[in-house]
C-alpha cells in the first residue's frame, strides 16, 4: 500500500461534555478506499467532519501529508465531500452543476479559461459515465444519475481526497449495487483517496481496501474486508459483520478450545491456559452430519429456504445456532454437526461478551411469521443422547 496521507492522532470529540469520539488513532494511505463502518451514532460522520475541516477535535491532532492541519479551514484542504443529499442546483443543467466549482475558482488564484473548464467538466462526465448528458436538466435525471453529477462536481476540483457520507443511502437496493461498482471504478480511474461512511456492512466489504469498524465513539477494528470478516477482534465486530454464532469457550491450550464441554481443534493460540474466550463460528462453516458422526448434536427448530441455501436454526442445550446449508433438515430432526479447525475463530473476552450470537430471537421471529397450522413431520432420525 502507498504512503501515509492522513493521520488522526488521539482525536477526541465531546459535545457539552459528552464524548462521542474517544481518542481515535487512524492512518489513511494515499489512494486507499477506506470505509468507516458502524451503527447509527457511533461517530462515523464526526470523524469524516474532522478530516474535512468542518469540525475541530476537542483534543488530539489531525495531520495531512505530515503537516498538522487542526486549524486549517475546509476550503484550504484538498478534500471534497459528497453527501447523501446531493444538493444539486435545480436551475442549472448537468454541465453547469459540474462546472460550478471551477467557476467559483480557488485554483491558486488563477482563473480557468472557458476551454479549460469545458475540458475538465467533459473529462469528469466521461469518468462518471454521463457523457452526452451535459445539457440535461438535473431534475430530469434518475437518483443514480443525480448522484453521479454530485460525484463529478466533487471531483472536478481534483481533490486529493474524496469524502463520501452515505452517498448511496437514498437509492434503492438494485441501484445501490450498481453504484457500488461504479464507485470502485471511479476510485480506480481517479487514483485518489476515498473515505466512505456507511452503516451497511455488505457495502463496506464490497468496496473497501480497508474497513474501520466503530462503536460508541471507539475504533473496534481496522483491517481488510477479509481480515474483518474472518478474524473479528471481538463479539461486536463478529456480530456486526455478517452472521455469526458466538459461544463461550475455554482455551485449553494453543489450538484446542472447549465449547459446550467438548474439545475442538482450532488454529488460534497465544491465550493463557484455560482462559475463558468468545468463540465465533460462521453459519456457512458448520456441516450437518449424522448424529453418530457429530461433534455436537442438537434439534432443528426452524428451516427457511433462502434461495442459494437454507437457514437452519438448531438448538444446542437452549443456545440456538444459525447454520447455512444446501441440505434440507426437517423441523424437530435430531442432527449432528462438524466444524473444521479453520471454521472456529477465538476472540478475547470483551465488554461485548454475552451480548450477541444466540439465534433464539431470530428463531422466535420465524415461529411467529410461520404458518400456525403447520405440523412438522415426525423426524426420521432416532433421537440420540446429547454427548457433552
Ligand atoms: P449516523 O449513521 O446516524 O449518521 P454517525 O455514526 O455518523 O451516525 P455521528 O453523526 O458522528 O454518528 O454522531 C455521533 C454522536 O455525536 C451522536 O450521538 C450525535 O448525536 C452526536 N453529535 C454529532 N454532532 C453533534 C453536535 N453538533 N452537537 C451535539 N451532538 C452531536
Amino acid at each position: 500500500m502507498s504512503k501515509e496521507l492522513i493521520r488522526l492522532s488521539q482525536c477526541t470529540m465531546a459535545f457539552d461534555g459528552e464524548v462521542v469520539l474517544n481518542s481515535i488513532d487512524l492512518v489513511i494511505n494515499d489512494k486507499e478506499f477506506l470505509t468507516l463502518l458502524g451503527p447509527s451514532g457511533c461517530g462515523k460522520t464526526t470523524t469524516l467532519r474532522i478530516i474535512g475541516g468542518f469540525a475541530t477535535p476537542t483534543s488530539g491532532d489531525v495531520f495531512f501529508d505530515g503537516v498538522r492541519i487542526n486549524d486549517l479551514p475546509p476550503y484550504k484542504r484538498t478534500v471534497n465531500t459528497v453527501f447523501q443529499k446531493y444538493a444539486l442546483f435545480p436551475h442549472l443543467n448537468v454541465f453547469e452543476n459540474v462546472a460550478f466549482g471551477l467557476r467559483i475558482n480557488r485554483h491558486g488564484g488563477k482563473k480557468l479559461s472557458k476551454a479549460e473548464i469545458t475540458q475538465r467538466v467533459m473529462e469528469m462526465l466521461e469518468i462518471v459515465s454521463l457523457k452526452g448528458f451535459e445539457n440535461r436538466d438535473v431534475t430530469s435525471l434518475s437518483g443514480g444519475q443525480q448522484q453521479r453529477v454530485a460525484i463529478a462536481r466533487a471531483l472536478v476540483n481534483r481533490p486529493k481526497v474524496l469524502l463520501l457520507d452515505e452517498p448511496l443511502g437514498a437509492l434503492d437496493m438494485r441501484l445501490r449495487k450498481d453504484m457500488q461498482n461504479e464507485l470502485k471504478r471511479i476510485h480506480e480511474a481517479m487514483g485518489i483517496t476515498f473515505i466512505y461512511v456507511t452503516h451497511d456492512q455488505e457495502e463496506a466489504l464490497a468496496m473497501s481496501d480497508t474497513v474501520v469498524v466503530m462503536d460508541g465513539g471507539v475504533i473496534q477494528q481496522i483491517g481488510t474486508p477479509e481480515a474483518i470478516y474472518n478474524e473479528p477482534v471481538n463479539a461486536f465486530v463478529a456480530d456486526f459483520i455478517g452472521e455469526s454464532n458466538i459461544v463461550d469457550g475455554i482455551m485449553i491450550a494453543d489450538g484446542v478450545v472447549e465449547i459446550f464441554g467438548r474439545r475442538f481443534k482450532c488454529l488460534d493460540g497465544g491465550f493463557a491456559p484455560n482462559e475463558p474466550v468468545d468463540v465465533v463460528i460462521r453459519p456457512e462453516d458448520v456441516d450437518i452430519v449424522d448424529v453418530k458422526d457429530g461433534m455436537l448434536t442438537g434439534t432443528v427448530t426452524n428451516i427457511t429456504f433462502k434461495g442459494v441455501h437454507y437457514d437452519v436454526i438448531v438448538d444446542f442445550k437452549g443456545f440456538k445456532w444459525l447454520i447455512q446449508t444446501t441440505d434440507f433438515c426437517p423441523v424437530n430432526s435430531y442432527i449432528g454437526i462438524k466444524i473444521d479447525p479453520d471454521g472456529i475463530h477465538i476472540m478475547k473476552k470483551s465488554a461485548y461478551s454475552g451480548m450477541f450470537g444466540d439465534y433464539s430471537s431470530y428463531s422466535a421471529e420465524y415461529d411467529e411469521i410461520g404458518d400456525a397450522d403447520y405440523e412438522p413431520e415426525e423426524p426420521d432420525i432416532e433421537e440420540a443422547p446429547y454427548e457433552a
Side-chain angles (χ1 to χ4, degrees), residues 86-160:
Y86 339 118
L88 300 176
F89 303 114
H91 57 290
L92 299 180
N93 65 17
V94 168
F95 183 97
E96 289 303 328
N97 262 280
V98 178
F100 187 80
L102 298 175
R103 294 204 200 286
I104 59 168
N105 164 36
R106 43 171 225 257
H107 309 276
K110 178 178 155 274
K111 204 163 186 266
L112 295 177
S113 71
K114 222 175 146 185
E116 281 172 310
I117 291 178
T118 303
Q119 192 217 332
R120 279 174 63 168
V121 171
M122 296 312 283
E123 224 175 74
M124 273 313 125
L125 291 180
E126 169 114 47
I127 282 187
V128 300
S129 310
L130 280 183
K131 211 171 152 205
F133 283 73
E134 45 279 13
N135 296 319
R136 284 276 293 270
D137 201 338
V138 285
T139 51
S140 73
L141 300 179
S142 69
Q145 289 165 338
Q146 291 189 19
Q147 190 54 278
R148 285 165 206 251
V149 177
I151 292 165
R153 189 177 58 177
L155 288 173
V156 80
N157 283 316
R158 298 181 178 161
K160 278 194 161 173

Side-chain angles (χ1 to χ4, degrees), residues 92-309:
L92 299 180
N93 65 17
V94 168
F95 183 97
E96 289 303 328
N97 262 280
V98 178
F100 187 80
L102 298 175
R103 294 204 200 286
I104 59 168
N105 164 36
R106 43 171 225 257
H107 309 276
K110 178 178 155 274
K111 204 163 186 266
L112 295 177
S113 71
K114 222 175 146 185
E116 281 172 310
I117 291 178
T118 303
Q119 192 217 332
R120 279 174 63 168
V121 171
M122 296 312 283
E123 224 175 74
M124 273 313 125
L125 291 180
E126 169 114 47
I127 282 187
V128 300
S129 310
L130 280 183
K131 211 171 152 205
F133 283 73
E134 45 279 13
N135 296 319
R136 284 276 293 270
D137 201 338
V138 285
T139 51
S140 73
L141 300 179
S142 69
Q145 289 165 338
Q146 291 189 19
Q147 190 54 278
R148 285 165 206 251
V149 177
I151 292 165
R153 189 177 58 177
L155 288 173
V156 80
N157 283 316
R158 298 181 178 161
K160 278 194 161 173
V161 180
L162 188 67
L163 307 179
L164 301 114
D165 194 355
E166 304 251 6
L168 310 185
L171 306 179
D172 67 42
M173 187 55 123
R174 184 73 198 276
L175 206 48
R176 263 183 103 112
K177 297 244 178 210
D178 289 348
M179 279 303 288
Q180 286 171 17
N181 289 329
E182 274 293 277
L183 277 171
K184 265 171 81 169
R185 191 189 53 73
I186 294 169
H187 172 249
E188 273 162 33
M190 293 300 294
I192 64 169
T193 305
F194 276 27
I195 307 176
Y196 193 92
V197 160
T198 185
H199 61 271
D200 181 335
Q201 45 103 6
E202 235 181 271
E203 193 162 284
L205 296 184
M207 290 196 294
S208 323
D209 298 315
T210 304
V211 179
V212 179
V213 185
M214 300 178 69
D215 186 48
V218 174
I219 291 179
Q220 303 291 331
Q221 188 167 2
I222 302 174
T224 61
E226 289 84 359
I228 297 273
Y229 186 84
N230 293 327
E231 287 157 43
V233 291
N234 62 32
F236 174 81
V237 178
D239 180 74
F240 197 75
I241 312 289
E243 305 277 9
S244 39
N245 304 293
I246 306 171
V247 292
D248 288 331
I250 296 168
M251 206 62 191
I252 303 297
D254 282 358
V256 185
V257 65
E258 193 176 286
I259 309 166
F260 292 152
R262 296 292 295 262
R263 291 188 179 189
F264 289 78
K265 279 191 190 154
C266 62
L267 303 180
D268 299 274
F271 295 84
N274 298 318
E275 181 174 335
V277 290
D278 286 334
V279 182
V280 56
I281 296 155
R282 298 291 187 186
E284 68 273 18
D285 289 336
V286 184
D287 286 331
I288 293 180
V289 295
D290 277 353
V291 166
K292 63 176 172 26
D293 301 322
M295 295 159 115
L296 291 174
T297 51
T299 305
V300 173
T301 63
N302 241 295
I303 179 158
T304 308
F305 182 57
K306 301 292 272 191
V308 177
H309 62 259

Side-chain angles (χ1 to χ4, degrees), residues 317-339:
K317 277 195 165 174
F319 193 100
K320 292 192 178 177
W321 290 33
L322 172 65
I323 297 173
Q324 287 168 344
T325 173
T326 50
D327 301 328
F328 180 77
C329 321
V331 171
N332 282 342
S333 56
Y334 193 63
I335 54 136
I337 59 155
K338 242 175 106 175
I339 313 162

